[in-house]
Amino acid sequence: MHLIARTTLALSAVALMAACDRTPDPAVVEAAATEAAPAAAVEPAAPVQAEGGLAIEGEGLRIFDATGAARALPFGTPQATVIAAVTATTRGMAPEQGTNAECGAGPTQFARYPDGLQLLFQDEKFAGWFLDAPGLTTVDGVGVGTTRATLDSARTVTLTPNSTLGIEFSAGDMGGFLTADGAAGAVESLYAGLTCFFR
């Protein structure tokens, strides 16, 4: 009888100690950690410019290297510097260069690249750009082919009344033309700075 009592007491003590043991069961810890761990954050897709390339903007251009570091090429930058930097982003494809003596602002030098980008210069300084082909965009993705709905969501758009050149708009310090008025329209071309339009 005493043996049974002692055995029962010993088993009770072991059970009590097990209940008080704060050492976590490794299997339980691993399962809990798996359940509690937040899902790995999904990084947004890097813009094309962050992989190295060129972006258009209202103040000029912006060059991105392979690490995503940016270098501004604002209007007023020396012509040779801009052409060298932009040509490097086109893998050395040289632009067609010339002079338009009939621009309203006076003789204007230009450099036209195969990707639809045309750079304008006066007095050997970067003065404007014009883009009429898909590919290059602003950092936030506005480019030729951008729909009117996307353009409106990214920028404040004002139509130019009575433009003789088409459906012209301004969006801050950048301008452009649409293929059609209203929701069916898309960006046909973009420009900033000096232009050589005949109105």
Side-chain angles (χ1 to χ4, degrees), residues 15-34:
L16 186 60
M17 287 176 61
C20 292
D21 184 8
R22 300 288 185 191
T23 304
D25 181 346
V28 173
V29 170
E30 184 177 346
T34 302

Side-chain angles (χ1 to χ4, degrees), residues 34-189:
T34 302
E35 291 174 12
V42 178
E43 290 294 325
V48 173
Q49 288 84 9
E51 298 171 3
L54 180 68
I56 53 175
E57 54 188 28
E59 301 83 18
L61 301 171
R62 192 165 294 270
I63 299 283
F64 290 81
D65 67 20
T67 69
R71 172 189 171 204
L73 292 173
F75 297 135
T77 302
Q79 178 174 342
T81 300
V82 174
I83 290 178
V86 174
T87 299
T89 70
T90 63
R91 296 179 175 83
M93 190 173 294
E96 172 193 350
Q97 296 187 60
T99 298
N100 187 338
E102 298 179 359
C103 279
T108 302
Q109 293 73 48
F110 65 84
R112 184 181 295 114
Y113 287 86
D115 60 3
L117 178 67
Q118 181 173 302
L119 308 178
L120 302 173
F121 305 91
Q122 278 193 325
D123 302 321
E124 299 185 355
K125 302 287 185 185
F126 183 28
W129 58 259
F130 176 78
L131 179 68
D132 64 358
L136 295 177
T137 69
T138 59
V139 172
D140 58 352
V142 174
V144 173
T146 296
T147 64
R148 176 66 189 273
T150 301
L151 178 63
D152 283 338
S153 67
R155 310 274 166 139
T156 300
V157 176
T158 304
L159 292 179
T160 304
N162 305 316
S163 173
T164 59
L165 301 175
I167 305 169
E168 189 172 0
F169 69 89
S170 61
D173 45 13
M174 195 166 65
F177 297 90
L178 296 167
T179 58
D181 196 2
V187 175
E188 186 173 48
S189 58

